[in-house]
Structures are given as C-alpha cells and as structure tokens.
Amino acid sequence: MIIHDKQFELFISSNQIQSQIADLAERISADYADKCPLFIGVLNGSFMFASDLLKEVNIPAEITFIKVASYAGMQSTGKARELLGLSQSVKDRHVVVVEDIVDSGITMEGIIHQLEQAGVASVEVASLLLKPECLQREVDVKYVGFEIPEKFVVGYGLDYDGLGRNLKDIYQLRLD
C-alpha cells in the first residue's frame, strides 16, 4: 500500500485489533465497575479506538475528547500542545485517557499532568499501541493493546500527513 510517497505493509489485522480491544474493555469494566469513569479520547488518532473500546465497555461511563499534537509528518516535535481543551470538569472523576499510540510519552506526560492539576480522583491510560523503545518519559500505560517496535505505523486512526486514518488494519512502513 502506498500513502503519499511511502510504501506500507500489513502489520496488525482488524481481527487482531478487535480481539485485543474486547480484552482491554473487559479489564477496564472490571477495574471501574463501581466508578462510572470518564474516558478522554485524544484526537485525532484515538477516534476509532475510543469508539470501539466504548462499545465493548459494559459499565456506566462517559466520554469526551481533547485534541493535542506532537507530530509533524513522521517526526515528533518533542512538544505536546493542547489545541482543544476539556469542556467539563474532571475534578474528583476517575479518568481513563484513550490514546492511539504512546511512543515518546511526552504528550501523555503533559495530559496526565494537566488532569492531575485539575483534581482528578485517578487517571489511567489505555493505548492501543505502545513503543517501549521510544519512551523518553516515565509514563505508566495500564491498558496496552499491543507493544510494537520502533516502526512508523498508519491505519486505524493513525495517519501519515493526514492520510491512512480510515484504514481498518494497521500498516507499518516498509523498509526496502
């Protein structure tokens, strides 16, 4: 598959993704059974994951979204900028931040810090993908769909300069 000027190959199938999401939702539902958590999806990348995850969560829950960015093309800018903030109070709420991918940890560290400053009762992270080799910050990601190596990926919400988010599978950059 070609996106812009790069060649990508299948990495994680839609079936694998959905199976892992069902497992994560079961764990989250058990952990938050009596808490009515607030899920905060990080746009744009998490929209597919957040939607599918919430469909599988079987406890009372709410969802909202924030928008942050730390990527330009295929490179992290090294900064997390908040573009669109929360529209509701998170004080004393149990929050699960829903992210498509945690790689450097810079963005997630900033989000967690802002939520703690706002007085959340607790905050955990659910990320479809985690790149442990790329972490530059100590960020605890409690709910991880897949740990992946340091490769650029697209699909299922992840993009390359705006394209590829709509793909149902996840593809990795082909290095030939």
Side-chain angles (χ1 to χ4, degrees), residues 3 48-49 51 53 55 62 64-65 77 87 89 94 102 108 110 131-133 135 139 143 152 163 170 173:
I3 300 176
M48 289 178 116
F49 177 45
S51 173
L53 181 66
K55 289 176 201 171
E62 295 178 61
T64 190
F65 292 89
T77 62
S87 59
S89 173
H94 295 281
V102 174
M108 193 52 59
K131 292 183 180 178
E133 299 168 12
L135 285 173
V139 176
Y143 307 102
F152 190 78
L163 296 180
I170 295 175
L173 182 63

Side-chain angles (χ1 to χ4, degrees), residues 3 7 26 28 41 47 49 101-102 110 121 134 137 141 172 175:
I3 300 176
Q7 182 80 30
E26 186 176 315
I28 291 169
F47 76 101
F49 177 45
I101 187 167
V102 174
C134 298
R137 302 290 195 273
V141 182
Q172 68 181 357
L175 302 173

